[in-house]
Amino acid sequence: MNLNFDNATKIMTKDLEEVRKLLALGKIHVCIVGIGRIGLPTALSFANSNLPTIGVDINANLVNMINSGEFPLKDEPGYDLIFDNVIKNKTFRATTALEEAVSKSDVILLSLPTPIDESNTPNYSALESVSKKLATLISPGSLIIVESTVEPGFIENTLAKILQSENNNLVIGKDFGLGVCPETANPGEILKDFHSLPRLVGALDEKTADIIMEIYKHVFPVELIKMPNCKTANAVKLTTNVFRYINIAFVNELAILCEKIGIDIMKVLEAADLKYNFQIHYPGPGVGGPCLPANSTQILHSGKLFGNNLLRMVSLSQEINDGMSSHVIFLTQDGLKKVGKTLENSQIVILGVSYKPNVKDIQVTPAEPIIKKLQALGAKIKIYDPYFKSVNVFGIKVDDSFINAISGADAVILITAHDEFRDLEPSIFTSKMQTPIVVDTRGIIDTHAAKKAGLIYRGIGRGGN
């Protein structure tokens, strides 16, 4: 399949009216570098707006799957239809060849991962590596947009210097444009978010920001907010996620207090949510995913540039949230103690390994540290997750049946609140398990029903059961 790319339009040499006309005619050619969880839906959105789009990724299997017409994100509702449409209309294809894609594109959009490395430091190597290549590939008149989440100042202080290399003699704002539009989508709900959540735009100069605004206005039916610069836009992205991260830490501490007092935190939160200025957050076994844990580390990294005493609340929140895996182990041990057992040689079933409900994604999942701690204490681990049936996860083959997984088990730990688990009757545990011990880390099991069914029930913050 070949997209019909004409000569580059040199978008940064056009005025806004010319940009609008080119967009309407489908004459702006787009390259999305990084077509993973967020990048692929982004690329499909651009292609669905009738802009010829190439997706670039180093994962050859992913590229081949896409080009053969197989949609890889089965847990992203709505995008399967968009995928079929853009493949049929030949407005989208994928490649592993960055050089080919960039040479045919007016707009290069970067949707690359920015994870945290083993030393707990933001890892921008993917962005930096691609940008070094772009510095030798971009043509005058090109536009580069960064959607990846980075800390404030990274674009101005690092990426701009890489792109404005001595090797190309191109000047930002004169020969090419550089700006940001941080992604804000929630995995599993990306299409909904792309059609409802406002987007922030920042750039190194006013004209670039205005052109990015026009492009995103053409693709996404949402409010666009122009920020003063790139670092402000990136700061907003981190602020919203770290705000949530801190509030989860507070609720996690409150949950442990509720256990000690004998209060059900779910009742507390439900009532508190009736107050107009309360924003509800729920306790859990830890905070997972590629965003919240990484974003807290990114903002701490920024703070440390100005002294170690900045953002102490974020640092404490990390300590609290990371410590919840140990609390889950404590609750499990407490349940086993009631029947005279310990973790050693006990059969423990993990229900759900995805970091969030109803998606197939184990990035920074809180299930991993819990599994590792259980194994270190001699427990035998089984896993059931409807999104990973018969797949090896953390060296364990996931059961293909819920009933098979829990049959004969000593304890079950519910980690992920998949819809399938919300409908479970507590009696199913008492009828199949050797000892019906259930540790509910998500508060989805009714405590009265659990007691009536004869469960030995433990839940984070469920001290009132």
Side-chain angles (χ1 to χ4, degrees):
M1 177 177 59
N2 292 310
L3 298 180
N4 183 23
F5 279 87
D6 301 317
N7 293 329
T9 62
K10 299 183 182 298
I11 189 172
M12 291 307 301
T13 67
K14 310 298 181 183
D15 61 33
L16 292 183
E17 186 56 36
E18 288 177 301
V19 170
R20 293 187 195 103
K21 289 179 180 178
L22 290 168
L23 288 167
L25 293 170
K27 295 293 186 181
I28 301 294
H29 304 147
V30 181
C31 164
I32 313 286
V33 185
I35 47 174
R37 168 64 75 175
I38 302 294
L40 179 56
T42 300
L44 296 177
S45 296
F46 274 80
N48 199 46
S49 71
N50 201 37
L51 298 181
T53 304
I54 299 181
V56 181
D57 206 283
I58 60 173
N59 185 338
N61 290 332
L62 174 63
V63 168
N64 291 333
M65 180 185 296
I66 289 169
N67 288 336
S68 65
E70 183 179 351
F71 181 57
L73 297 177
K74 302 294 192 293
D75 52 6
E76 286 299 340
Y79 269 109
D80 52 344
L81 300 177
I82 294 174
F83 177 82
D84 291 342
N85 182 57
V86 299
I87 295 295
K88 177 183 175 182
N89 294 335
K90 298 184 177 182
T91 54
F92 176 67
R93 71 176 174 90
T95 182
T96 58
L98 180 68
E99 296 83 356
E100 171 204 359
V102 171
S103 68
K104 296 179 177 180
S105 300
D106 307 298
V107 177
I108 300 100
L109 194 152
L110 305 183
S111 183
L112 295 159
T114 53
I116 303 304
D117 65 21
E118 293 179 356
S119 64
N120 206 33
T121 303
N123 181 352
Y124 299 122
S125 60
L127 268 176
E128 292 172 353
S129 175
V130 167
S131 296
K132 287 175 183 176
K133 293 178 182 177
L134 287 179
T136 66
L137 297 172
I138 55 175
S139 303
S142 299
L143 169 60
I144 298 172
I145 305 170
V146 181
E147 282 206 3
S148 303
T149 303
V150 297
E151 60 196 84
F154 176 80
I155 301 295
E156 294 87 345
N157 301 329
T158 302
L159 211 64
K161 293 177 181 178
I162 294 174
L163 290 166
Q164 195 169 262
S165 161
E166 293 180 1
N167 297 328
N168 60 25
N169 296 314
L170 300 180
V171 177
I172 294 175
K174 177 186 175 186
D175 300 308
F176 72 100
L178 175 61
V180 302
C181 185
E183 60 84 9
T184 56
N186 189 22
E189 302 176 302
I190 294 178
L191 182 60
K192 178 174 75 72
D193 290 346
F194 277 180
H195 284 76
S196 61
L197 297 181
R199 300 294 294 261
L200 307 176
V201 172
L204 269 63
D205 61 272
E206 193 74 14
K207 181 178 180 179
T208 299
D210 288 338
I211 290 177
I212 296 174
M213 293 279 285
E214 290 299 328
I215 293 169
Y216 277 78
K217 188 187 300 181
H218 175 78
V219 178
F220 299 101
V222 297
E223 180 183 4
L224 298 170
I225 303 169
K226 186 159 70 171
M227 305 304 292
N229 44 46
C230 295
K231 60 185 176 182
T232 305
N234 292 134
V236 174
K237 169 65 186 290
L238 292 187
T239 298
T240 56
N241 279 352
V242 176
F243 173 84
R244 184 170 172 230
Y245 187 84
I246 290 170
N247 277 277
I248 292 171
F250 164 67
V251 173
N252 277 332
E253 284 220 303
L254 184 63
I256 295 173
L257 176 64
C258 286
E259 289 174 25
K260 296 181 182 298
I261 296 175
I263 296 171
D264 187 343
I265 193 169
M266 302 307 288
K267 300 297 183 185
V268 173
L269 295 174
E270 287 168 11
D273 196 38
L274 298 174
K275 193 167 187 288
Y276 70 93
N277 61 350
F278 184 80
Q279 294 188 22
I280 196 165
H281 294 77
Y282 293 101
V287 180
C291 294
L292 270 62
N295 296 164
S296 63
T297 299
Q298 286 173 316
I299 206 163
L300 279 173
H301 187 256
S302 288
K304 287 176 182 177
L305 298 175
F306 303 95
N308 289 324
N309 289 326
L310 279 176
L311 302 171
R312 288 173 292 171
M313 186 177 292
V314 181
S315 183
L316 180 58
S317 296
Q318 283 188 331
E319 181 182 332
I320 293 166
N321 289 332
D322 291 346
M324 291 307 292
S325 59
S326 294
H327 187 64
V328 172
I329 302 298
F330 165 77
L331 291 175
T332 309
Q333 290 172 317
D334 189 60
L336 288 166
K337 184 178 179 181
K338 192 162 185 177
V339 294
K341 293 186 177 183
T342 65
L343 280 171
E344 189 172 6
N345 293 320
S346 289
Q347 185 76 65
I348 311 297
V349 179
I350 303 296
L351 292 185
V353 287
S354 292
Y355 82 87
K356 61 168 292 185
N358 308 319
V359 299
K360 186 178 181 179
D361 200 329
I362 57 171
Q363 295 182 81
V364 199
T365 173
E368 184 175 13
I370 291 170
I371 289 170
K372 287 182 176 178
K373 288 176 181 180
L374 288 170
Q375 289 174 325
L377 292 167
K380 300 174 182 177
I381 307 299
K382 295 180 76 175
I383 298 172
Y384 175 72
D385 188 307
Y387 290 85
F388 291 92
K389 291 180 181 180
S390 302
V391 174
N392 282 317
V393 176
F394 309 129
I396 302 166
K397 188 173 182 180
V398 178
D399 268 83
D400 60 4
S401 163
F402 168 76
I403 296 299
N404 289 344
I406 69 167
S407 293
D410 295 298
V412 162
I413 305 175
L414 195 156
I415 301 292
T416 313
H418 291 311
D419 285 347
E420 180 176 322
F421 300 150
R422 291 182 177 274
D423 297 329
L424 292 173
E425 291 292 334
S427 58
I428 195 70
F429 296 108
T430 50
S431 67
K432 297 295 181 181
M433 295 175 66
Q434 181 171 320
T435 50
I437 299 164
V438 175
V439 178
D440 177 10
T441 73
R442 296 297 181 179
I444 66 173
I445 296 176
D446 181 88
T447 56
H448 297 295
K451 184 176 181 180
K452 185 177 179 181
L455 291 188
I456 298 171
Y457 176 86
R458 297 291 183 271
I460 294 176
R462 309 305 294 277
N465 64 78

